[in-house]
Amino acid sequence: MRARRPAPCALCPGGLIKHVAAVEEARTAFVTEGPSALRHDLPDGVTWADLAAGTAREVPRWAIEHRNDFRTLPGDTLDGVLACYERVAARSEEIVASVPDLSATHPLPEAPGTSREPCAARAGC
């Protein structure tokens, strides 16, 4: 049977499922690893304003990966996207079940739009 190919567009259902999986994976990494899991380092000489304006001379790998989390790419299949989400969801359940204190907090890393308030595992920050 041929693998089903999702539509190659931004914000199509396959892209949304990929994005949900990526966000969930980042959140669980933050729970287990702390702020280092959410680092968004910029190349030397590149500012957040450059990145936001699309004028950065170099785009960091994490920014490219983030952009690709919203769309299906060549080689993505619906079965593969759904399997990835199922894998991430199963790992999230394992982590939540193993965390001794869901109210334990980590400081958030510096990035535009983030609060400097610590974030708990059960919070949606």
Side-chain angles (χ1 to χ4, degrees):
M1 175 182 219
R2 205 172 124 215
R4 295 175 287 173
R5 172 89 170 92
C9 64
L11 298 181
C12 63
L16 291 173
I17 294 167
K18 283 180 68 175
H19 178 66
V20 169
V23 169
E24 187 167 336
E25 194 167 44
R27 288 285 300 146
T28 55
F30 179 73
V31 168
T32 59
E33 300 167 32
S36 64
L38 300 180
R39 289 188 58 166
H40 293 101
D41 295 330
L42 296 175
D44 289 338
V46 175
T47 67
W48 286 104
D50 295 332
L51 198 58
T55 58
R57 63 174 171 65
E58 181 183 351
V59 178
R61 180 156 189 77
W62 63 261
I64 295 166
E65 290 169 356
H66 177 74
R67 182 181 62 223
N68 288 339
D69 287 342
F70 284 93
R71 60 182 59 125
T72 55
L73 302 172
D76 283 343
T77 64
L78 181 57
D79 293 338
V81 169
L82 292 173
C84 175
Y85 175 75
E86 290 170 1
R87 177 187 54 77
V88 169
R91 179 71 178 130
S92 294
E93 288 179 19
E94 290 173 7
I95 290 169
V96 168
S98 70
V99 171
D101 181 4
L102 291 177
S103 62
T105 62
H106 296 298
L108 290 171
E110 251 186 77
T114 60
S115 165
R116 295 308 302 152
E117 297 296 318
C119 184
R122 68 171 145 209
C125 47

